[in-house]
Amino acid sequence: MLIDKGAIVYHYLRTKLHQRLANRQEVEQWQEERVRSHVRFVRKHSAFYRELWKDYTDAQWRQFPIMDKELMMEHFDQLNTVGITKEEAFAVAYQAENSRDFAPTIGPITFGLSSGTSGNRGIFLVSPQERRAWSGTVIAKMLPHSLLQKESIAFFLRANSNLYGSVGSHRLQFHYYDLLNPVKEHIERLNEQRPGLLVAPPSMLRILAQAKQQGHLQIHPHKIISVAEVLDPLVRKAIETQFEQRVHQVYQCTEGFLACTCSHGTLHLNEDIVIIEKEYLDQKLGRFVPIITDFSRRTQPIVRYRLNDILTERAEPCPCGSPYLAIESIEGRCDDIFYGYSLHDDRLRPIFPDFISRAIIQASEKVVEYLAIQHTPDRIEICLRVDEADEAGSRSAQIEEHITHAMNDLFLKINCKPPAIEFNVYEQDIYARYDKQGELTELKKLRRVERRFQLGEDTDPFI
Ligand SMILES: [Zn+2]
């Protein structure tokens, strides 16, 4: 494991220092300076961006064309500043992923593969300097106390990646857990390690919460951090109940480390490393798609890059006093926005995933698991598992009725025709697959609300 304590400590202190930026104006002024110097660097070293921005000055960076994953992959070879081609990067990346080896590298450059359906996967290059900066920043933002105190950290990752492999010293003990190793093995190791800090995707935290409930897992971490996936309210409840504490969140993707929770449990954007512009979907509700500019990444510059997530601003300021934008919720992917036929003109209108989730969860306390799939604008399938501790049978029928009502109300409120709703049983572990020996073979991202049809070319997605 690569250890570079000096660089980590440097970035740790820098992050702590920036946490002292007192007000919004100071933050924005500082960001503006950083982004302009970043743009100068990128123009000089990336042929693709140089061409893309040729009609704009550095100060006009907010008018640069918006990037997304597709564009980034299309122009990968000309875009990165280290001369790696897409072909060689994917070849090495897939080979490493299949062998479940360490993350792939070409020279000193490490890659991260972003999730997505095949053909829609992104690849992101990271230099050793960027890796160290990342480590220092994450540590500064997540550690419950100072770098000088001892801490034992359990870190669950999808394949042991070099991207995360650079943190470790005699005070900070990082223990890595490959998400796809047998759960039984994780439990044994965890019981032995007794981590103070537990970091894992919510789907794994939920499995660990079950193990704790059954008495197999005997750890008492003082801080739990959910990473890599959106933390669903039902999963959160299950984890918090078993571990008897609040679950913290890190909102991070291969594109960057974007937000994390403060001591009050509020998510704040990491505006000391990224600028997040808001493309509003609904300004009144504070819902927006983030356009990120990460001025700490030089290898594969991310400038005005649109993510696929939907964020909601927090209406009230957070009591912690941080000048960084507070986020109420992250609600998964734009691709999963449902649509209904307008009552007036039959056009399609968007219905945010969060509305669908709330209609289902609030219909009954007994809903333990659910999955809502929209097959067509007038047909929704809801898979349900309800807590049947008391009198089963009739109760699920009642819950289904409540949910149908709630969904009808929701669609009517948005002036849409209520869809036909069919109910099915939520199969055990739609998201975790086990082989015949009961060992975990696949852990998919939890996705509660899923749209399975494509919008027509002429549909305006956000009317
Ligand atoms: Zn806060």
Side-chain angles (χ1 to χ4, degrees), residues 42-171:
V42 175
R43 265 192 216 273
K44 209 165 150 195
H45 295 90
S46 163
F48 169 76
Y49 282 116
R50 188 160 54 236
E51 175 62 24
L52 188 70
W53 303 339
K54 67 177 188 308
D55 298 330
Y56 305 90
T57 65
D58 294 353
Q60 289 172 316
W61 69 269
R62 283 179 193 270
Q63 292 160 42
F64 290 169
I66 305 262
M67 294 289 297
D68 57 22
K69 195 195 285 178
E70 214 180 326
L71 266 175
M72 187 161 255
M73 288 307 113
E74 192 183 327
H75 301 283
F76 186 88
D77 300 1
Q78 299 297 314
L79 182 147
N80 74 74
T81 61
V82 286
I84 291 177
T85 67
K86 185 166 73 178
E87 207 175 334
E88 61 183 324
F90 269 115
V92 178
Y94 280 129
Q95 191 188 16
E97 196 169 66
N98 290 335
S99 67
R100 302 255 310 282
D101 204 345
F102 277 87
T105 52
I106 292 182
I109 305 293
T110 317
F111 316 155
L113 270 177
S114 81
S115 53
T117 49
S118 59
N120 186 26
R121 298 193 74 180
I123 198 157
F124 291 86
L125 308 174
V126 183
S127 73
Q129 293 90 323
E130 288 165 336
R131 208 158 62 217
R132 285 191 290 267
W134 180 85
S135 311
T137 313
V138 172
I139 290 174
K141 287 181 181 269
M142 295 191 336
L143 268 192
H145 30 248
S146 112
L147 195 57
L148 301 175
Q149 270 172 280
K150 276 199 166 186
E151 187 66 271
S152 175
I153 302 165
F155 216 127
F156 281 80
L157 300 163
R158 193 173 296 277
N160 201 344
S161 149
N162 278 341
L163 187 61
Y164 304 87
S166 57
V167 190
S169 73
H170 60 290
R171 289 203 186 87

Side-chain angles (χ1 to χ4, degrees), residues 237-448:
K237 198 167 100 184
I239 302 164
E240 291 187 340
T241 307
Q242 289 312 317
F243 286 97
E244 299 176 316
Q245 62 187 288
R246 166 187 289 157
V247 177
H248 282 267
Q249 273 186 87
V250 163
Y251 169 40
Q252 194 207 340
C253 45
T254 23
E255 287 90 341
F257 175 32
L258 303 179
C260 54
T261 44
C262 68
S263 56
H264 292 262
T266 306
L267 270 169
H268 290 274
L269 296 179
N270 290 331
E271 294 180 281
D272 48 346
I273 35 179
V274 286
I275 289 187
I276 299 190
E277 296 173 85
K278 299 172 212 165
E279 187 176 275
Y280 278 105
L281 302 177
D282 186 332
Q283 193 143 11
K284 215 167 64 209
L285 294 173
R287 275 201 166 75
F288 67 93
V289 175
I291 312 261
I292 58 173
T293 297
D294 186 331
F295 41 76
S296 64
R297 296 203 29 192
R298 292 182 153 196
T299 310
Q300 184 170 340
I302 292 179
V303 180
R304 303 205 80 215
Y305 179 98
R306 182 194 279 115
L307 287 178
N308 188 18
D309 295 342
I310 305 166
L311 308 190
T312 304
E313 299 168 330
R314 203 179 129 107
E316 306 283 308
C318 179
C320 78
S322 164
Y324 301 147
L325 187 75
I327 292 296
E328 187 62 53
S329 65
I330 303 166
E331 56 174 298
R333 315 164 356 126
C334 302
D335 302 353
D336 288 325
I337 295 176
F338 279 17
Y339 285 86
Y341 287 120
S342 162
L343 284 169
H344 309 302
D345 55 12
D346 252 3
R347 286 172 66 187
L348 290 177
R349 289 182 164 278
I351 299 153
F352 293 109
D354 183 45
F355 289 146
I356 305 290
S357 297
R358 270 191 283 171
I360 297 172
I361 297 173
Q362 289 173 358
S364 168
E365 288 244 303
K366 300 277 176 190
V367 175
V368 188
E369 300 285 3
Y370 70 91
L371 174 67
I373 303 164
Q374 190 177 31
H375 293 282
T376 62
D378 46 20
R379 188 165 75 89
I380 291 175
E381 176 187 354
I382 296 176
C383 304
L384 270 190
R385 189 193 306 160
V386 296
D387 182 0
E388 296 188 348
D390 41 24
E391 64 196 292
S394 64
R395 187 166 288 276
S396 350
Q398 207 180 13
I399 293 170
E400 289 176 10
E401 203 176 305
H402 284 313
I403 293 176
T404 307
H405 272 298
M407 294 293 270
N408 284 348
D409 285 351
L410 171 64
F411 273 68
L412 288 173
K413 217 167 92 190
I414 303 173
N415 289 317
C416 287
K417 290 177 193 156
I421 296 175
E422 54 196 73
F423 287 91
N424 269 313
V425 179
Y426 183 101
E427 280 172 60
Q428 189 98 28
D429 302 312
I430 290 181
Y431 291 93
R433 288 182 207 284
Y434 298 90
D435 64 14
K436 287 192 190 103
Q437 282 77 43
E439 293 194 351
L440 193 63
T441 54
E442 199 186 349
L443 198 62
K444 285 206 237 168
K445 283 196 181 187
L446 184 69
R447 211 165 138 201
R448 295 270 191 212

